Amino acid sequence: MRRIGDLIPDAARALGLEDELRLARAIATFEALVAERVPAAAGACRVIRLDGFALVVEADAPIVGQELRLRSGELLTAFAATPGGVGVRDLRVHVRRGGPRV
């Protein structure tokens, strides 16, 4: 008997969904880390893509972007220590144009 979590990566690879699974893991991992380590930014930023070894994040406001940039070393170290964060070495933060999402 095997755990379902152990089967998902093989199934995603077989279906050609490996990149989507990696992105989904990165999103969930980053959201949890931000909520834990930068609670003021929780809900005001999101992962928009993985670009090679970079995690690309969108912030709703300049102050959120600044806080993420200041804490990027801490966030990247914590992120790299998770199964979903393997290989990520750079955090790129872009501030969303047009103000916060409602």
Side-chain angles (χ1 to χ4, degrees):
M1 186 181 302
R2 293 177 62 187
R3 293 177 4 164
I4 188 121
D6 296 336
L7 299 174
I8 290 175
D10 292 336
R13 191 174 308 107
L15 294 170
L17 301 173
E18 198 168 21
D19 290 339
E20 287 82 356
L21 178 61
R22 183 172 179 239
L23 179 59
R25 283 184 172 168
I27 290 169
T29 300
F30 188 77
E31 286 177 358
L33 288 173
V34 168
E36 175 186 322
R37 296 170 184 269
V38 193
C45 61
R46 69 215 44 83
V47 172
I48 54 175
R49 72 178 177 276
L50 287 165
D51 189 9
F53 298 109
L55 184 66
V56 182
V57 175
E58 177 183 68
D60 289 342
I63 191 75
V64 174
Q66 181 67 19
E67 187 66 24
L68 292 174
R69 287 182 193 104
L70 287 171
R71 308 283 296 272
S72 65
E74 174 187 349
L75 289 169
L76 283 171
T77 298
F79 191 82
T82 68
V86 175
V88 173
R89 293 182 241 150
D90 187 27
L91 180 66
R92 295 183 195 155
V93 181
H94 302 280
V95 176
R96 183 174 179 274
R97 294 180 185 200
R101 292 182 181 190
V102 186

